[in-house]
Amino acid sequence: PVVKITDLLDGGRLRIGQDHGSSDLIIERSHELTDVDLKVGDEVRVDPSMKVVIERLDSKENKDYFLEEIPSASWDKIGGQQEAIRAIRDTIELPALHPELFERFQYSTPKGFLLYGPPGCGKTLIGKATAFNLVQHVREAEGLEVREYFMHIKGPEILNMWLGETERLVREIFAQARQKRKEGYLPFVFIDEAESILGTRRSMRSHNIANTVVPMFCTEMDGIESLQDVVIILASNRHDLIDPAILRPGRIDRKIKVERPDEEASKEIFGIYLNRDLPIDASEIERCGGSAEAARQALVVEATAALFARTEDNKFLEVALRSGRQESLYFGDLVSGALLDNIVQRAKESAIKRAIAEEDAQAGIRSDDLIAALNAEYRENEVFPPTDSVEDWLKLLDYDPENVVRVAPVR
């Protein structure tokens, strides 16, 4: 049988977990493994009687629970989230740059963040940038050779039908993070869709069974001293469903809202995706006096203006409030960074098709491509719920759920 180590005990003994949810076993090591450095999460082969570990299996590390290497994501690659970024930088960078001042004030560094806000607005991107930039500052300020260890956990992935199995995975994740800290890494535990596993015990499906996950998570978090040990980042678009025991000060100390981009922020994001390396159509360059950079800036301005126009064509939702007031939401009220990226991708696709059809190797992106892509993105309704269900729409809107009576898309 092949099993996984869940805990290291005194005297070289091992606790092994059973994937099918039955009880754990305590077993001994064989003579050949007496001095082998076994870790929590390692897979081992045991004898048929399940009493002795006889071999460690050299398998690739499980990539389901983490991404060991993250791309270089500096803060200037994130557009339109200056408030959220400043809140995070003040928390993670200032203590690294001015340690003596923070020590004099007896300031205890927070151990966790909650990033909440509408989907597609950069919560995961900010989480990865936090990992990259904090490690850079630790290297520069303290002269330590550390690497980030980014464990990207999607909430639904660790849910398991067997009683106690989800809790075992939570223990394993934190044990792996602590082990990596001992090896010189700075671990980041990033939990996406956090409400799916850390929801209020009343809100969770089958809460009479799953209500032990939150206490287990709280217990593991209480064993973390500060950001210098393990950094916990939760992301959710329904933070109201996360259990208050998780969000209390001392566990998740900073709650940072990731807002939808406004008009200025959308220009900044469009500018990142419509970068200087993309081909701009000759007609656009000619219209702007022969300057490719001016043509690129003009495309950004025109696309943003079309997106935020308050016209009947741009009307998207009707929201009925409990007070009796009706409000209309337009394209610009439901914009997100992911949606802007998709608009630019559609515009690129149109330019490529035109280059193929006209056999023009110099074809580039036009203003018409962006406007058509914008309209297609909203009309096809790909990123929005296809129903009139208020519950589905509330995940995307910034309204207080108690105040909304009805949400109706404008057909």
Side-chain angles (χ1 to χ4, degrees), residues 234-249:
L234 307 183
S236 173
N237 56 3
R238 290 301 304 274
H239 66 287
D240 54 307
L241 298 181
I242 297 178
D243 198 286
I246 298 291
L247 299 182
R248 74 157 174 81

Side-chain angles (χ1 to χ4, degrees), residues 160-356:
N160 195 292
M161 64 177 287
W162 296 101
L163 183 61
E165 188 65 9
T166 302
E167 292 86 331
R168 185 183 70 77
L169 287 172
V170 170
R171 281 200 310 272
E172 188 177 305
I173 287 163
F174 277 90
Q176 198 171 8
R178 291 189 180 97
Q179 179 65 35
K180 286 296 176 183
R181 186 69 188 102
K182 290 177 184 175
E183 293 174 12
Y185 290 86
L186 184 55
F188 292 78
V189 178
F190 182 87
I191 301 181
D192 226 341
E193 309 292 341
E195 75 280 359
S196 61
I197 58 167
L198 302 176
T200 55
R201 280 154 267 197
R202 186 179 298 276
S203 75
M204 290 185 69
R205 193 177 44 171
S206 305
H207 65 272
N208 56 329
I209 295 175
N211 63 1
T212 52
V213 177
V214 171
M216 173 57 68
F217 195 88
C218 293
T219 303
E220 294 290 346
M221 279 208 70
D222 290 341
I224 295 171
E225 294 300 325
S226 72
L227 285 175
Q228 301 303 319
D229 294 332
V230 178
V231 184
I232 308 293
I233 305 175
L234 307 183
S236 173
N237 56 3
R238 290 301 304 274
H239 66 287
D240 54 307
L241 298 181
I242 297 178
D243 198 286
I246 298 291
L247 299 182
R248 74 157 174 81
R251 290 192 179 125
I252 298 298
D253 301 279
R254 297 287 184 272
K255 290 85 175 173
I256 299 167
K257 183 166 186 183
V258 180
E259 302 273 5
R260 285 193 183 279
D262 57 13
E263 192 163 352
E264 280 304 311
S266 296
K267 279 184 189 174
E268 191 179 337
I269 296 168
F270 265 133
I272 291 171
Y273 290 125
L274 282 169
N275 57 63
R276 291 179 174 85
D277 297 329
L278 286 178
I280 307 298
D281 199 78
S283 61
E284 298 288 340
I285 296 174
E286 187 180 341
R287 184 164 64 96
C288 294
S291 168
E293 178 58 24
R296 189 182 75 86
Q297 294 290 347
L299 288 180
V300 168
V301 170
E302 288 171 23
T304 309
L307 179 61
F308 282 87
R310 312 289 281 188
T311 63
E312 282 298 314
D313 289 340
N314 278 16
K315 190 180 288 189
F316 197 71
L317 276 185
E318 296 284 353
V319 180
L321 302 178
R322 199 170 296 282
S323 63
R325 195 167 82 248
Q326 293 256 359
E327 292 190 1
S328 297
L329 298 183
Y330 296 81
F331 286 180
D333 297 318
L334 293 166
V335 72
S336 69
L339 190 140
L340 297 177
D341 182 22
N342 225 29
I343 289 171
V344 175
Q345 292 298 332
R346 284 175 182 265
K348 292 176 186 175
E349 188 179 322
S350 298
I352 290 169
K353 287 179 179 177
R354 187 170 58 253
I356 294 171

Side-chain angles (χ1 to χ4, degrees), residues 10 29 34 39 98 103 211 289 351 378:
D10 294 338
R29 303 182 188 214
T34 303
K39 303 184 186 69
H98 308 283
E103 187 177 343
N211 63 1
Y378 280 91

Side-chain angles (χ1 to χ4, degrees), residues 117-119 236-241 257 260 317 319-322 329 334 384-385 387-408:
S236 173
N237 56 3
R238 290 301 304 274
H239 66 287
D240 54 307
L241 298 181
K257 183 166 186 183
R260 285 193 183 279
L317 276 185
V319 180
L321 302 178
R322 199 170 296 282
L329 298 183
L334 293 166
F384 301 110
T387 67
D388 293 346
S389 168
V390 174
E391 183 70 21
D392 291 341
W393 278 102
L394 284 174
K395 295 176 183 177
L396 300 173
L397 305 179
D398 289 330
Y399 287 94
D400 185 344
E402 295 180 359
N403 293 334
V404 178
V405 176
R406 184 178 59 86
V407 178

Side-chain angles (χ1 to χ4, degrees), residues 5 8-9 11-14 29-40 42-44 53-58 179:
I5 298 173
L8 305 174
L9 305 177
R13 295 179 303 156
L14 306 169
R29 303 182 188 214
S30 66
H31 179 69
E32 289 80 4
L33 296 178
T34 303
D35 299 322
V36 174
D37 183 24
L38 297 176
K39 303 184 186 69
V40 171
D42 281 354
E43 288 187 337
V44 292
V53 174
I54 56 179
E55 181 187 1
R56 181 178 70 173
L57 300 179
D58 292 325
Q179 179 65 35

